[in-house]
Amino acid sequence: MNIFAKSALIALLAGMATVATAASDKRASDELFVTSAKAGRGGAVSIDFDNRAGAAVGFEFKIKVPTDAKVNTSNCLADLPKSHTGVCMFNHIEGYVLGMVFSDSNELLPKGMVPVGRVLIRAGKQPVDVKVEHFLAADANAKKIESSAKVLE
């Protein structure tokens, strides 16, 4: 198993355990969890969305990564429910992973924890540090709903 596959597995397992613990508290707002697992100059990021209120139809995020990173976003939205789709890409000029999740039929996301996907990152000279710089969740009327984002390591 290569280092990216190991990093992805570590991030997935760490993300599941950490997100389960974080989601058990009584916060009312929806939350995006970005779980980072580092391996040398590379790593993986697991993305999960906790739809606590059950009102979210879609969301968007912007995650800062090193500008010299090699980023694989092919599984960024791989775990979404079949009712939803989206787009995820890496802007290498500014160093952002940008994602948008939506439903063509305006279907609600399942209530509770929704796995989103994984992003593999190989950095050059910088360590793999990520930061959520923007996150917005929206209801069926495209109105912003109370939400926040958290990076877990």
Side-chain angles (χ1 to χ4, degrees):
M1 188 180 302
N2 70 28
I3 193 157
F4 282 122
K6 287 179 186 176
S7 295
L9 181 59
I10 290 168
L12 180 62
L13 294 175
M16 290 168 56
T18 309
V19 168
T21 302
S24 66
D25 63 6
K26 304 294 183 201
R27 287 170 281 140
S29 68
D30 295 348
E31 193 158 23
L32 184 75
F33 291 100
V34 177
T35 306
S36 176
K38 299 175 184 174
R41 290 189 177 156
V45 173
S46 175
I47 304 169
D48 300 280
F49 176 64
D50 190 2
N51 187 20
R52 285 191 185 100
V57 169
F59 58 89
E60 63 186 38
F61 57 86
K62 180 178 177 182
I63 301 170
K64 180 71 174 153
V65 300
T67 55
D68 66 343
K70 302 289 185 214
V71 178
N72 180 341
T73 59
S74 63
N75 289 312
C76 181
L77 306 178
D79 300 329
L80 285 173
K82 299 274 185 229
S83 58
H84 286 71
T85 189
V87 61
C88 186
M89 60 182 258
F90 176 56
N91 174 335
H92 68 278
I93 295 170
E94 296 178 350
Y96 290 109
V97 174
L98 306 164
M100 180 184 291
V101 172
F102 56 90
S103 167
D104 286 332
S105 61
N106 221 18
E107 189 171 333
L108 293 171
L109 282 157
K111 188 170 183 175
M113 193 58 67
V114 179
V116 177
R118 294 156 309 289
V119 176
L120 300 178
I121 304 167
R122 176 185 277 169
K125 297 176 183 175
Q126 303 173 25
V128 178
D129 290 319
V130 298
K131 178 183 176 189
V132 179
E133 293 206 350
H134 169 77
F135 175 65
L136 180 143
D139 66 13
N141 296 314
K143 301 286 185 202
K144 180 180 178 179
I145 57 179
E146 185 181 347
S147 59
S148 60
K150 181 183 288 185
V151 175
L152 306 170
E153 294 187 19

